[in-house]
Amino acid sequence: TLAAKPRNAGSTGDPSSPFFRVGVPLLLRTNPLVADIYLRLSELKYVKLFRKGASFGSEDVKKYHDTKKIEFFYVRQEDAETLTAKMNEALESLLKRDPFPRGVSTTVSLASIETTHALVKQVGFTPEVQRLVKNNVDLVIKEMHESPSLSSILKNMDIDRGQYISAHSHMLAEVSCALSIGMKWESPINFKKLTMAALLHDMSLSNQKLARIKDLKELTERRQEFSSEDVEEYRSHTRRASVIVQG
């Protein structure tokens, strides 16, 4: 029996794992499934729930996400390129929607950020992953055009504590672009630069609790809560993100 509790805490991607995780909102838009889909029961145990070619629909979302509070499913690394290509098609289709579904796009964008960070750690910054980043940047910018004011963004701010890294990155992109508008510094190229920096700056972090530390002063004050590896991860995360993008 599956426990009725969220399965979204912890790492955003373990490089040593043969699986990477995909958020439910994004998986919902990859039908028919182009890879086998697994549920993680423990750190080492996965069970196959959906076979390649099957459909993942609203009833599955209700059963697993809404009722059993499962936020992520898992896919084998060897299927990463195929599934990432399918996810890119889904994002590109969403970008063409008229009228543009802002609420839906935000949910999909958050799931896409989570998956992008996991993919970067596990398969690298491949061309398909780069395309996923670009589509997500375009998605956030299009959301901004629908509601560009800083006040409206802050009014709707509700960061998911279980998925802090992706929610924080998404919110930072919107706030940065809204501030640039207020400073009369807006332009398509500036929006793209600000959004990409926001979405990628924390991608080398994996600990959601650590990611909520606001500065080095707070990290020093809470040093006993984290390992030496965690402290080094925090101190070097922006530099490592830059190395990943350049490499």
Side-chain angles (χ1 to χ4, degrees):
T1 302
L2 299 177
K5 61 182 180 179
R7 294 176 179 265
N8 64 344
S11 173
T12 58
D14 178 0
S16 65
S17 173
F19 295 88
F20 69 94
R21 68 188 199 178
V22 181
V24 170
L26 197 54
L27 190 62
L28 184 61
R29 286 164 175 79
T30 59
N31 288 297
L33 298 173
V34 294
D36 295 335
I37 305 299
Y38 295 77
L39 175 68
R40 188 176 75 171
L41 300 181
S42 69
E43 290 294 329
L44 299 175
K45 188 174 182 180
Y46 296 79
V47 59
K48 186 187 297 183
L49 284 188
F50 300 92
R51 292 188 177 276
K52 176 181 177 180
S55 292
F56 183 86
S58 56
E59 287 302 311
D60 299 306
V61 173
K62 182 178 180 180
K63 177 180 178 180
Y64 293 105
H65 181 271
D66 299 345
T67 302
K68 297 179 177 177
K69 308 303 179 185
I70 294 168
E71 300 288 344
F72 301 98
F73 288 96
Y74 290 77
V75 179
R76 287 191 174 276
Q77 279 197 33
E78 56 259 36
D79 293 319
E81 184 173 0
T82 302
L83 185 62
T84 307
K86 186 76 171 180
M87 291 188 291
N88 276 316
E89 291 176 10
L91 264 63
E92 287 160 5
S93 176
L94 191 60
L95 283 163
K96 295 175 182 175
R97 290 269 297 274
D98 186 17
F100 182 68
R102 189 177 191 276
V104 172
S105 71
T106 300
T107 302
V108 174
S109 179
L110 288 171
S112 179
I113 295 169
E114 281 280 339
T115 298
T116 299
H117 288 185
L119 284 166
V120 166
K121 291 183 179 73
Q122 292 172 259
V123 303
F125 207 47
T126 66
E128 280 297 337
V129 174
Q130 293 176 41
R131 181 180 162 205
L132 193 61
V133 171
K134 178 184 178 300
N135 283 328
N136 218 342
V137 167
D138 291 343
L139 204 58
V140 174
I141 290 174
K142 192 157 187 178
E143 290 172 352
M144 280 294 303
H145 289 167
E146 297 294 313
S147 182
S149 71
L150 182 59
S151 60
S152 65
I153 292 169
L154 295 177
K155 181 180 178 181
N156 294 321
M157 184 168 65
D158 182 19
I159 292 182
D160 186 327
R161 297 298 166 181
Q163 300 178 52
Y164 179 87
I165 295 173
S166 59
H168 161 74
S169 299
H170 187 276
M171 182 59 62
L172 180 59
E174 290 197 329
V175 170
S176 298
C177 290
L179 286 173
S180 75
I181 292 173
M183 296 172 65
K184 309 299 182 184
W185 193 52
E186 74 269 26
S187 71
I189 188 64
N190 285 339
F191 279 175
K192 283 185 179 291
K193 287 180 178 179
L194 289 168
T195 302
M196 186 166 292
L199 298 188
L200 296 180
H201 80 289
D202 275 347
M203 69 177 174
S204 64
L205 288 174
S206 57
N207 186 317
Q208 302 283 353
K209 179 181 177 182
L210 182 67
R212 292 198 291 269
I213 299 294
K214 66 178 183 296
D215 54 33
L216 290 174
K217 181 176 182 292
E218 182 181 353
L219 181 65
T220 300
E221 292 171 349
R222 297 174 57 185
R223 175 68 180 80
Q224 70 280 4
E225 299 177 37
F226 303 101
S227 67
S228 57
E229 290 80 8
D230 288 334
V231 172
E232 175 55 28
E233 179 179 320
Y234 185 91
R235 287 179 177 275
S236 64
H237 74 278
T238 53
R239 183 178 70 250
R240 288 185 291 119
S242 175
V243 169
I244 291 169
V245 171
Q246 293 177 37

